[in-house]
């Protein structure tokens, strides 16, 4: 049993990219799918597919590499944890890593990237960061 499904998913993506694997498998959760939508929109992963096997769902994630074979993901970290929630106001979400990185934020408008949250004038719980 996994206590923190988001941290488990990020660790699986991090480990697979360090090993230069093409795909990795994650446990299914709606919030993980929302985070993967943000990663795909920002160009950190090629794509993902929800697969059902024996009435259990899982997610196959296709990782992205540059022309030299290096992972597009330099660093991926969990910000808000079950033991310590981290909330950010709108003005704290303006830029991350000079615009190269993204903070994934859970807001009242859904799970979105930090630049979209800033434009929508909302803050929320900072789930993870990637660059």
């Amino acid at each position: 049993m996994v206590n923190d499904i988001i941290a488990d998913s990020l660790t699986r993506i991090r480990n697979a990219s360090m090993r230069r694997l093409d795909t990795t498998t994650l446990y299914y959760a709606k919030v993980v799918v929302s985070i993967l939508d943000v990663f795909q929109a920002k160009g950190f992963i090629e794509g993902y597919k929800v697969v059902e096997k024996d009435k259990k769902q899982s997610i196959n994630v296709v990782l992205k590499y540059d022309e030299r074979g290096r992972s597009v993901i330099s660093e991926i970290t969990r910000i808000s944890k079950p033991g310590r929630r981290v909330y950010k106001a709108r003005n704290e979400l303006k830029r991350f890593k000079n615009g190269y990185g993204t903070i994934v934020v859970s807001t009242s408008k859904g799970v979105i990237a930090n630049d979209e949250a800033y434009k929508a004038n909302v803050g929320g719980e900072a789930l993870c960061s990637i660059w």
Side-chain angles (χ1 to χ4, degrees):
M1 183 174 158
V2 178
N3 287 333
D4 189 4
I5 191 116
I6 297 172
D8 181 69
S9 300
L10 297 178
T11 301
R12 286 174 185 244
I13 292 171
R14 184 184 316 111
N15 290 343
S17 67
M18 285 192 300
R19 300 245 356 250
R20 291 186 172 81
L21 299 177
D22 293 332
T23 62
T24 185
T25 303
L26 311 177
Y27 292 123
Y28 177 81
K30 288 181 184 179
V31 69
V32 174
V33 172
S34 301
I35 291 171
L36 291 175
D37 284 334
V38 173
F39 287 174
Q40 186 175 9
K42 296 294 182 180
F44 290 108
I45 61 171
E46 288 285 335
Y48 68 92
K49 184 176 183 181
V50 178
V51 179
E52 186 171 335
K53 183 178 180 182
D54 297 333
K55 295 186 180 180
K56 289 215 172 207
Q57 291 182 320
S58 62
I59 307 168
N60 289 338
V61 179
V62 180
L63 300 174
K64 189 173 183 179
Y65 299 95
D66 63 3
E67 61 276 350
R68 293 183 185 169
R70 293 180 301 188
S71 176
V72 175
I73 300 171
S74 299
E75 182 179 301
I76 184 169
T77 57
R78 179 86 156 109
I79 298 173
S80 185
K81 300 173 183 169
R84 183 174 186 268
R85 301 291 183 188
V86 177
Y87 298 95
K88 302 256 183 198
R90 173 194 180 260
N91 56 359
E92 295 176 305
L93 296 172
K94 194 165 186 179
R95 294 185 74 162
F96 178 68
K97 298 279 187 186
N98 284 336
Y100 291 110
T102 301
I103 298 174
V104 180
V105 185
S106 177
T107 67
S108 58
K109 302 203 187 274
V111 177
I112 55 178
N114 61 331
D115 53 347
E116 296 171 24
Y118 183 78
K119 289 176 188 171
N121 198 20
V122 292
E125 183 182 355
L127 298 176
C128 62
S129 65
I130 186 169
W131 69 279

